[in-house]
Amino acid sequence: MVQAGEPGSTRPGGRTARVRAAVLAAAGDALAESGMDGLDLTDVARRAGVGRTTVYRRWGTVPALVADLLQDMAEQSQPRVETGSLLKDLLANARLVRETLAHPRQGRLFKAIIAAATCDERTARALHRFYEVRISEWAPCVEQAVERGDLPEGTDAREVIRAVSAPLYYRLLASGHPLDEATAERCARAAAVAARAGVYMR
Amino acid sequence: MVQAGEPGSTRPGGRTARVRAAVLAAAGDALAESGMDGLDLTDVARRAGVGRTTVYRRWGTVPALVADLLQDMAEQSQPRVETGSLLKDLLANARLVRETLAHPRQGRLFKAIIAAATCDERTARALHRFYEVRISEWAPCVEQAVERGDLPEGTDAREVIRAVSAPLYYRLLASGHPLDEATAERCARAAAVAARAGVYMR
């Protein structure tokens, strides 16, 4: 049997891949609708039109299913944009994060998973890996700016990318302020200005 | 009967104030220990050494109790520091937020409340009010920097203070990276540099 969560093992095509896609979509829908408390493997199987025993055999537990969903989300997320301009690249990143968190289903999905991660260690580890993958995808934009001489040598590229996202997550989870386009632009500009000033030097 | 949650009505002194303090401390302990799922009014009454009917009559529901806890946390939080230097003021703010979130009990308490706010509207409103109070407390540091000519006219003082906190919350809730002193310093420096560059102009 193909192991769920083995990168590249389940896509593209094939019955295993179709089952995984259907189950993860159903799990995401359930999470977005009613949070972690509403996530139940039997209900996910029913929504996905997949046998209950298949879901239990392959994922077994809710945290395992959520971990696989996060891995899939990381794999399916948009690749970085490379425009040759640090500010434009960071703007593209900020807009992508903003659109994701402001999206009705995706915003609720992230809230549900982040909430679950506060009290479940396995979900927390899967969430941290998700961000590692996403930050790794976008960090080269900053590394290229260093190579071009736009940013000081020794800039922590990953920390710059995290700085772009942070105010958007703060709005989603803490202050409740709207995730508007102006905020996304400010996130990108603030990270670029601070990076140029050497704030993110290692 | 004094209404719970009416500012200034229950402090200082008096039996009502002592009951409130004991109940809110017990609620905070329970939340920090086992999250929102572990919060039960009967258990809180027992921990606080207060009659069960008192707790039910005065707070009635878990969201009402959490809302009152957040109001108390806002009232009891540390006042701003005014050093006459924007960077030093923001550093004081960043260190306070870092210490709070890195504190074993307080960090878990914030995680539990933020998680609850993702799926309960009343808790979300109380959480947003908590941040409004805290941001209002610290915004004058930025306003004074504008008056001194350290920052451009039209700077959104509240957004600068939010920018200091955001990367710390991102670490706590999303990336899982440590809440270290170096990060707090970087938060303050990044916000000051971006504010000077006019990123936070209204």
Side-chain angles (χ1 to χ4, degrees):
Chain A
M1 191 184 127
V2 178
Q3 276 291 306
E6 205 174 286
S9 61
T10 53
R11 287 172 198 265
R15 192 184 121 71
T16 304
R18 285 198 306 277
V19 166
R20 183 183 182 221
V23 167
L24 296 185
D29 289 347
L31 275 170
E33 279 169 29
S34 43
M36 196 59 75
D37 290 344
L39 194 61
D40 169 83
L41 296 194
T42 301
D43 174 59
V44 165
R46 189 189 51 73
R47 285 174 182 253
V50 167
R52 185 174 164 280
T53 49
T54 302
V55 172
Y56 275 88
R57 196 173 52 230
R58 182 144 167 200
W59 287 278
T61 66
V62 163
L65 178 57
V66 173
D68 197 33
L69 174 61
L70 279 164
Q71 175 161 334
D72 187 62
M73 286 162 67
E75 287 163 9
Q76 304 296 318
S77 276
Q78 302 227 5
R80 68 178 165 274
V81 168
E82 294 185 5
T83 64
S85 146
L86 174 68
L87 183 57
K88 283 184 186 163
D89 289 358
L90 296 185
L91 275 169
N93 179 253
R95 287 180 180 136
L96 175 63
V97 174
R98 184 202 82 80
E99 280 163 22
T100 303
L101 299 184
H103 185 280
R105 178 188 188 270
Q106 296 306 93
R108 286 200 299 266
L109 179 56
F110 271 92
K111 278 183 170 184
I113 295 175
I114 289 168
T118 64
C119 50
D120 180 76
E121 194 47 49
R122 177 159 186 186
T123 304
R125 282 197 305 271
L127 184 67
H128 301 161
R129 272 197 305 274
F130 170 84
Y131 290 110
E132 286 300 313
V133 172
R134 296 307 297 151
I135 300 298
S136 296
E137 173 60 29
W138 284 82
C141 297
V142 179
E143 289 158 7
Q144 287 158 18
V146 174
E147 282 160 26
R148 285 192 303 264
D150 284 357
L151 289 182
E153 288 279 347
T155 297
D156 183 341
R158 306 174 68 83
E159 196 60 22
V160 176
I161 299 296
R162 288 186 201 111
V164 174
S165 282
L168 297 164
Y169 278 87
Y170 182 82
R171 287 183 168 235
L172 181 76
L173 299 163
S175 77
H177 287 87
L179 289 156
D180 52 16
E181 174 67 22
T183 301
E185 281 178 29
R186 206 161 41 209
C187 289
R189 288 174 58 213
V193 162
R196 285 208 182 95
V199 170
Y200 299 110
M201 303 277 278
R202 264 186 222 93
Chain B
M1 191 184 124
V2 177
Q3 277 290 306
E6 204 173 285
S9 63
T10 53
R11 284 170 200 268
R15 192 181 121 71
T16 303
R18 286 197 305 277
V19 166
R20 185 183 180 219
V23 168
L24 296 184
D29 289 347
L31 276 169
E33 279 169 28
S34 45
M36 196 59 74
D37 290 344
L39 193 60
D40 169 82
L41 296 195
T42 302
D43 174 58
V44 165
R46 189 190 50 74
R47 284 173 184 255
V50 167
R52 186 173 163 279
T53 50
T54 301
V55 173
Y56 275 89
R57 198 171 53 229
R58 184 147 167 197
W59 287 277
T61 66
V62 163
L65 179 58
V66 173
D68 197 33
L69 174 60
L70 279 163
Q71 176 161 333
D72 187 62
M73 285 162 67
E75 287 163 8
Q76 304 298 318
S77 275
Q78 301 229 8
R80 69 178 163 274
V81 168
E82 294 184 5
T83 64
S85 146
L86 175 68
L87 182 57
K88 283 184 187 163
D89 289 359
L90 296 185
L91 275 169
N93 179 253
R95 287 180 181 137
L96 176 60
V97 174
R98 185 201 82 80
E99 279 163 22
T100 303
L101 299 183
H103 185 279
R105 178 188 189 270
Q106 296 306 94
R108 286 200 300 265
L109 179 56
F110 272 91
K111 278 184 169 183
I113 295 176
I114 288 168
T118 65
C119 50
D120 180 75
E121 195 46 51
R122 175 156 188 189
T123 303
R125 282 198 305 274
L127 185 67
H128 302 162
R129 273 198 305 276
F130 169 83
Y131 290 111
E132 286 301 314
V133 172
R134 297 306 298 151
I135 300 299
S136 297
E137 173 61 29
W138 284 83
C141 297
V142 180
E143 289 157 7
Q144 287 159 18
V146 173
E147 282 159 24
R148 285 193 303 264
D150 283 356
L151 289 181
E153 288 279 345
T155 298
D156 184 340
R158 305 173 68 82
E159 196 60 22
V160 177
I161 299 297
R162 287 186 202 110
V164 174
S165 283
L168 296 165
Y169 279 87
Y170 182 83
R171 286 180 168 235
L172 181 75
L173 298 163
S175 77
H177 287 86
L179 290 156
D180 51 17
E181 175 66 22
T183 302
E185 281 178 29
R186 207 161 40 208
C187 290
R189 288 173 58 211
V193 162
R196 285 210 181 94
V199 170
Y200 299 110
M201 303 277 278
R202 263 186 222 93

